[in-house]
Amino acid sequence: MTMKAKLRRGERRAAERDAGAEGHANLYRASDGTWPRRRLAVAVSAALAGAAAEVAAEQAKQAAGEIETIIVTATKRAQSIQEVSVAVQAVTGNTLRDLGVETFDEYVQYLPNVVSAGNGPGLRELYIRGSATEQAGITVATPQGSAPGVALYVDEQPVSFGGRNLDVYAVDMARVEVLSGPQGTLFGASSQSGNLRLITNKPEQGRFDAGFNAKYGHTTDGTGSYAADGFVNFAPTDRLAARITVYKDSQGGWIDNIAATFTPSGEVVDRNALGFGPLLTGAGSVATANNAALVEDDWNEAVYTGGRVGLAFDIDDDWDALIQHTAQSLEVEGAFLADPSLGARDSVANFSPDHNDDEFGLTTWTLHGRIANLDLIYTGGHLGRDVDSIIDYTHYNNGGGYIAYYLCAGASGATATNCYDPTKPFAEDTSNTRNTHEFRIATDPAKRVRLLAGAYVNEMETNHVGDFHHMGVNLAFAEMAGVPGFTIGNIAVPTDGVNTSGPRSPITVFFNDYTRTEEETAFFGEIAFDVNSELSVSLSARHYDLTSALQGASNFSFGCRYGIGPDSMETADGRCNGVGYSNDVTLRLHTLGQYAATADESVILDARSPNGRRDLFRGGDPDPADDCINNCNALRAIRNGRLDIDDFEQGGAINETDTIVKASVNWQPTNDAMLFLNYSEGYRPATQNRNAGQAARNQSGVYLNYVVPAAALTDRLSSWELGLKSEWLHGSLRLNATLYDTRIDNLQVSRFDPSVAFLVFMENVGDAESRGLDVDLTWVLTPNLILHSAFSCLDTELTRLSPQLEGVAVPVGSELPLAPILSGNIRMRYDFPIPRLDANGYFSAALVYRGENVSGIVGSAEFMDDTLFRQFGSYSGLSIKYEGGTFGTVEIPDASGRRLPRNSRFVNKSARIVNLAVGMKPGAWRAEFYIDNLGNTDAPVMQIAGHYMPRVTVQRPRTAGLRFSYDFQ
């Protein structure tokens, strides 16, 4: 075989493998090697014919003033983005490099219907088309939060986890695809409102290619950042190809941890108290936390380090295999949250060290081949991830229900004598594993009738241990040692969980120890039929069997106080036993499952805590006429339908079996235009609550008869879409648009409210709707000037509210959070020759706009702002939107005395970000000067979850720097 023939063969096999690994493309559809019926399809065939042919074809199109062909795999087949009847946005690898985009928050800003929210690198969630809700605080999101509503993929492997999406560094990518709207039939759980797919560059046979990129930037009022990455593609043999990618990105900080002190406010602590412990107001002395040892400028730093290795092997002319492994570490120091009350966007006052170490290894494999006229593919993956973090939890003083008990000496209900150091760090150790296998077959896509069928298996496990440290607890307990009826014992009691056992740290007051699992088996298929040369229809379905489970405990680990006797917290040898106040979640959920299976009420009435008392579901005030402690509250809730346990299995797991569908009609009246109409469905798993069935401690006002749900059940999203894919002006203008109408049933949310229970929990808030328009436009004005624009218009509404949430969540008719009415971007690039340097020069500019939106779905903004004022004497300065009615039951002072806070949410104001770049490319080299966030815009987003006072994330300030790259071929 000649070298030229080897090169052609290598290019063909690389294209086949890429299509196979992402979607069963039959590259030779007819005798002439083209796709029949459509001119756009012919362009796809040419694009897939090989890398050299693709480059030549795209250069010819650019010279003719036409738009490049983008191949996507949105339907698990390789197709032109203009022919797939799904709303897809795609950003190619070259565009990502031109924009200087590598990280989660960077590539999302160019996808206007996608929102990224969270507390910094490694701590973000994705939302598409307004299906956003308030999420759990990061301290408990991993064991307790919802599964994502938007699935994140690396090639064929889903890498989503509840509370913590994998923060994959986007380097050496072929493209980023965003599939908007439900994608559940082909992609399964969590592709509820869409998915985001990172498609990597694969090894190519018969060619050598290498390159590297480097950049340095400096942030205004911050520090410098630098990054470097490189890749090499080579073919040791005719049949074997390898690709190696390495990278490191050190992102300098700009947020200062300023000098501050913190003294708990008696008014704030006492109004949150759940009736256990002394009163802080009027205490003899109250200790003050001081962060002098932690003061640091520009402390929020993040370092991404990693690499990817891929091997591609041609077994024979019909079969090939691909294996890839990606390893990455993300080291984050400091916090990416700012305190708006301090008067500057770049300031916060934390009292314990903050760091987040997040490492993962992802191995994926694909076997692709043909038997007769069938494409067959088996693909799988293993993902292992470890997270080790410390987070400042001192703000819990402003929201916890037992703060004075932890801090102070004194009898329950009386004024505290002395209160000690309020500093509170939280230490987390979490591991995630995920194993997936998928087998699918597909018939020839050129045929009039096309079939695709597959089977999918997913196993996911999260192991989480979180220790809540209270620095002053030992001194408070020691002062009580001489009080009659008080026994001081071994504070580090031998409390056990499912992942750990043995004594805790002496300052560990409370800990979570959980294992959360999901196991799913699914079968899916799609049939497509060409009615004629212009009209086609398709129908797909997915049947899934999904089991989710939560095991473990939330245990106290502290000394015995206030005369609590041996029957509850003290062992025979006088040591304190934290199991007396253990929340044994395994036992709790098992009991509910056993009752669901037997309907035997004695299962609930006799349910005993680990200390032997019949108070497993304690909370609220028991009815004196009932012969039980608190378990009657749970039984009453089951009887009257307020506690739904119908989906529980006897062992405490939740099993869901269902079938979802998608139907599509695709009409192509001309070679340059296509219309499609879709109906589609998506889902995400149920999630169980640690305090399932517990009655509210405060059984008054809006919390009367409230009981914590056993689980937040599956929320289903269904959507109608009417879409247009079109090209105009002889192929120089591409206009794609999608109108959609979406319904969300039983929307999952997470919430913390001390009046209800002392743990964050999940619930179904009710139903919601969203309607909108997505538009994507590309216009080649001249061969040297190209314009891109994308925008999204959105209208959302909460249409039904759970009766338990009246006066807690915002009312019916309110908009959903993080759903701006308008968002979008416009970017341009102008190329020009530089004859003296024998180089090509270019200038690019981008404007990104995010419209005004609100944060959270619980109406607590005014209450949180008042907490800030009571604690520090100032308000946040953030805008607040009042939704009507009142929030909760705890009164706040005003000029006329006291009143209930109004139901309200914080407003994230609209923001505009401008990015500029100018560069030159003499041959294989490229050098560029760039400025990101030219206007130094804050663009703050209020982060509700788990802080009890306003905290915002802000856009990185103006950053200017240099990029440099070189390609070896």
Side-chain angles (χ1 to χ4, degrees):
M1 184 182 295
T2 67
M3 180 58 69
K4 187 174 182 179
K6 290 179 182 178
L7 180 61
R8 286 199 303 269
R9 180 179 181 274
E11 291 169 344
R12 177 178 64 83
R13 298 298 287 151
E16 285 177 336
R17 179 171 49 257
D18 192 58
E22 300 155 18
H24 317 258
N26 177 11
L27 302 177
Y28 297 95
R29 317 259 176 174
S31 59
D32 62 354
T34 65
W35 290 4
R37 296 192 303 118
R38 300 180 178 91
R39 183 177 63 80
L40 288 173
V42 175
V44 176
S45 181
L48 287 176
E54 180 182 357
V55 172
E58 294 307 328
Q59 287 176 343
K61 292 183 70 175
Q62 184 176 1
E66 296 184 12
I67 301 169
E68 67 174 329
T69 300
I70 299 177
I71 309 303
V72 296
T73 50
T75 58
K76 294 187 182 284
R77 299 178 185 270
Q79 294 176 274
S80 163
I81 195 172
Q82 293 304 100
E83 290 204 327
V84 60
S85 55
V86 174
V88 184
Q89 291 178 284
V91 181
T92 66
N94 288 335
T95 301
L96 291 172
R97 190 169 69 167
D98 289 343
L99 294 172
V101 165
E102 291 103 2
T103 56
F104 209 100
D105 54 329
E106 290 174 337
Y107 50 75
V108 166
Q109 69 176 326
Y110 292 102
L111 305 168
N113 61 356
V114 182
V115 171
S116 171
N119 293 353
L123 308 176
R124 295 189 176 99
E125 292 285 341
L126 288 171
Y127 308 110
I128 291 180
R129 290 181 174 176
S131 60
T133 59
E134 182 176 24
Q135 294 300 298
I138 197 61
T139 54
V140 294
T142 304
Q144 183 63 70
S146 288
V150 175
L152 179 66
Y153 276 73
V154 175
D155 294 322
E156 296 256 356
Q157 175 74 2
V159 294
S160 303
F161 291 102
R164 284 181 180 267
N165 259 321
L166 208 63
D167 197 337
V168 182
Y169 194 75
V171 66
D172 196 25
M173 292 287 163
R175 64 190 175 276
V176 173
E177 295 179 5
V178 175
L179 283 59
S180 301
Q183 309 295 326
T185 55
L186 292 183
F187 292 96
S190 288
S191 291
Q192 183 191 46
S193 59
N195 60 40
L196 190 151
R197 306 178 66 218
L198 305 176
I199 309 300
T200 62
N201 283 320
K202 310 298 189 302
E204 296 183 51
Q205 272 89 351
R207 65 186 294 118
F208 173 83
D209 195 11
F212 70 86
N213 302 282
K215 73 174 181 180
Y216 174 81
H218 187 274
T219 299
T220 300
D221 295 326
T223 58
S225 303
Y226 64 87
D229 65 81
F231 77 92
V232 59
N233 184 99
F234 59 98
T237 70
D238 290 348
R239 294 184 176 273
L240 180 66
R243 192 178 188 95
I244 300 173
T245 304
V246 295
Y247 57 87
K248 182 171 184 177
D249 187 347
S250 179
Q251 301 178 355
W254 72 92
I255 294 177
D256 302 334
N257 192 37
I258 67 172
T261 59
F262 176 84
T263 305
S265 162
E267 186 172 23
V268 170
V269 171
D270 291 344
R271 76 181 181 186
N272 293 331
L274 296 178
F276 191 56
L279 297 175
L280 184 61
T281 302
S285 67
V286 181
T288 296
N290 189 307
N291 71 347
L294 300 174
V295 171
E296 182 180 349
D297 291 342
D298 311 321
W299 79 324
N300 60 319
E301 300 176 344
V303 179
Y304 295 80
T305 306
R308 183 169 62 247
V309 177
L311 292 174
F313 181 65
D314 287 345
I315 301 170
D316 57 32
D317 287 342
D318 292 322
W319 289 87
D320 59 78
L322 170 70
I323 184 169
Q324 292 193 127
H325 179 76
T326 303
Q328 177 181 292
S329 69
L330 169 60
E331 299 178 27
V332 180
E333 296 293 335
F336 281 73
L337 294 169
D339 184 346
S341 69
L342 298 177
R345 69 172 179 187
D346 58 356
S347 298
V348 71
N350 281 14
F351 293 85
S352 70
D354 279 71
H355 80 255
N356 180 43
D357 294 338
D358 187 345
E359 299 182 355
F360 74 84
L362 172 64
T363 303
T364 59
W365 52 86
T366 301
L367 178 65
H368 169 241
R370 289 183 59 79
I371 297 178
N373 292 321
L374 292 178
D375 279 309
L376 293 88
I377 186 169
Y378 160 64
T379 183
H382 170 77
L383 174 61
R385 182 187 192 188
D386 291 294
V387 176
D388 178 16
S389 62
I390 294 178
I391 299 170
D392 183 26
Y393 203 61
T394 303
H395 50 73
Y396 185 65
N397 289 285
N398 301 308
Y402 300 96
I403 295 302
Y405 173 82
Y406 300 140
L407 287 177
C408 307
S412 182
T415 300
T417 53
N418 297 304
C419 300
Y420 296 90
D421 188 353
T423 306
K424 295 174 174 56
F426 169 78
E428 174 191 12
D429 185 1
T430 295
S431 65
N432 302 116
T433 58
R434 185 165 191 167
N435 297 298
T436 63
H437 304 273
E438 182 172 291
F439 175 78
R440 58 184 185 261
I441 59 174
T443 62
D444 189 340
K447 300 296 184 180
R448 187 177 185 185
V449 178
R450 301 173 295 280
L451 299 173
L452 183 149
Y456 173 79
V457 175
N458 174 60
E459 295 178 348
M460 185 163 55
E461 180 174 297
T462 296
N463 297 300
H464 169 85
V465 178
D467 288 347
F468 297 82
H469 300 314
H470 291 222
M471 306 305 289
V473 67
N474 289 338
L475 293 174
F477 286 0
E479 186 174 332
M480 295 296 290
V483 175
F486 177 82
T487 303
I488 184 66
N490 175 17
I491 295 175
V493 295
T495 46
D496 296 343
V498 293
N499 299 298
T500 58
S501 62
R504 304 281 154 174
S505 159
I507 57 173
T508 300
V509 166
F510 181 83
F511 70 91
N512 291 322
D513 190 331
Y514 288 100
T515 293
R516 174 179 176 177
T517 59
E518 290 179 18
E519 297 180 358
E520 181 179 15
T521 301
F523 300 92
F524 60 91
E526 181 179 73
I527 180 171
F529 173 68
D530 293 334
V531 179
N532 54 42
S533 62
E534 297 179 354
L535 184 67
S536 63
V537 296
S538 66
L539 177 66
S540 61
R542 187 183 194 93
H543 178 78
Y544 64 89
D545 189 313
L546 174 61
T547 300
S548 56
L550 180 67
Q551 291 186 319
S554 295
N555 284 345
F556 289 94
S557 178
F558 50 71
C560 304
R561 301 189 61 178
Y562 308 140
I564 299 174
D567 62 336
S568 60
M569 288 193 66
E570 193 173 311
T571 61
D573 59 0
R575 292 185 304 111
C576 295
N577 187 358
V579 80
Y581 278 95
S582 168
N583 180 25
D584 191 324
V585 177
T586 303
L587 177 60
R588 180 186 290 264
L589 296 175
H590 178 84
T591 301
L592 293 174
Q594 188 178 7
Y595 176 79
T598 64
D600 182 358
E601 293 190 350
S602 65
V603 170
I604 300 294
L605 291 175
D606 294 334
R608 298 175 183 268
S609 295
N611 61 12
R613 298 180 65 177
R614 289 183 295 173
D615 63 351
L616 181 64
F617 299 101
R618 63 182 174 271
D621 299 318
D623 186 338
D626 286 318
D627 184 23
C628 64
I629 306 301
N630 296 121
N631 296 340
C632 292
N633 292 312
L635 184 58
R636 291 193 201 96
I638 295 173
R639 287 171 177 169
N640 61 30
R642 288 184 291 111
L643 183 61
D644 185 356
I645 59 173
D646 292 342
D647 293 312
F648 273 74
E649 295 184 325
Q650 189 162 355
I654 292 180
N655 179 258
E656 304 166 276
T657 302
D658 203 353
T659 299
I660 60 171
V661 299
K662 177 180 179 179
S664 180
V665 178
N666 184 332
W667 178 45
Q668 187 164 345
T670 72
N671 285 331
D672 298 316
M674 182 188 76
L675 292 169
F676 64 86
L677 176 66
N678 289 341
Y679 171 80
S680 55
E681 297 176 340
Y683 65 101
R684 61 177 165 177
T687 184
Q688 294 151 303
N689 278 317
R690 297 175 296 171
N691 44 353
Q694 180 169 317
R697 296 284 302 187
N698 177 5
Q699 287 283 312
S700 64
V702 297
Y703 302 118
L704 182 64
N705 297 322
Y706 188 94
V707 64
V708 174
L713 300 176
T714 292
D715 49 357
R716 177 75 67 84
L717 189 148
S718 57
S719 179
W720 286 95
E721 294 181 343
L722 177 63
L724 167 70
K725 303 286 183 76
S726 65
E727 291 188 354
W728 305 82
L729 304 178
H730 306 290
S732 65
L733 174 65
R734 176 179 295 165
L735 175 63
N736 297 338
T738 306
L739 278 167
Y740 58 88
D741 191 300
T742 297
R743 177 184 175 88
I744 311 171
D745 296 320
N746 291 319
L747 182 62
Q748 289 183 14
V749 299
S750 61
R751 182 159 70 84
F752 177 90
D753 192 327
S755 298
V756 176
F758 56 88
L759 298 175
V760 168
F761 55 94
M762 305 299 301
E763 58 191 333
N764 299 104
V765 66
D767 301 336
E769 294 179 354
S770 65
R771 295 159 294 276
L773 171 67
D774 293 337
V775 176
D776 195 349
L777 180 146
T778 300
W779 190 2
V780 181
L781 295 164
T782 73
N784 295 332
L785 178 62
I786 187 168
L787 182 72
H788 300 272
S789 181
F791 66 87
S792 176
C793 299
L794 183 61
D795 177 38
T796 63
E797 181 182 7
L798 186 64
T799 58
R800 181 185 66 84
L801 187 64
S802 167
Q804 285 203 139
L805 295 178
E806 295 286 349
V808 178
V810 293
V812 169
S814 301
E815 64 184 294
L816 295 180
L818 303 177
I821 294 176
L822 177 64
S823 58
N825 66 80
I826 184 169
R827 51 192 171 88
M828 57 79 65
R829 176 180 168 118
Y830 178 69
D831 289 86
F832 53 90
I834 308 177
R836 290 186 178 181
L837 299 177
D838 191 23
N840 178 64
Y842 62 89
F843 171 76
S844 65
L847 169 65
V848 179
Y849 174 79
R850 184 203 70 209
E852 184 178 284
N853 60 90
V854 294
S855 288
I857 205 161
V858 173
S860 58
E862 188 177 47
F863 183 74
M864 292 175 67
D865 225 25
D866 179 78
T867 299
L868 177 65
F869 179 77
R870 299 297 147 197
Q871 179 62 61
F872 294 109
S874 62
Y875 293 104
S876 67
L878 299 174
S879 297
I880 292 179
K881 180 181 180 182
Y882 296 98
E883 304 287 1
T886 58
F887 167 77
T889 59
V890 180
E891 294 180 331
I892 61 175
D894 64 8
S896 61
R898 303 187 70 89
R899 62 176 177 80
L900 290 176
R902 290 169 288 184
N903 201 322
S904 55
R905 293 186 287 182
F906 289 104
V907 176
N908 303 313
K909 294 183 177 180
S910 62
R912 299 168 181 82
I913 308 295
V914 175
N915 301 328
L916 301 176
V918 60
M920 58 181 294
K921 191 175 185 302
W925 299 87
R926 183 174 74 158
E928 176 184 281
F929 173 74
Y930 70 93
I931 303 177
D932 290 339
N933 192 7
L934 178 67
N936 209 23
T937 303
D938 294 352
V941 175
M942 171 65 190
Q943 303 296 340
I944 291 290
H947 300 287
Y948 321 115
M949 294 189 303
R951 293 289 186 271
V952 299
T953 54
V954 293
Q955 179 75 20
R956 177 179 286 273
R958 181 190 302 113
T959 301
L962 296 172
R963 298 189 184 103
F964 178 80
S965 65
Y966 186 82
D967 292 326
F968 303 88
Q969 290 187 357

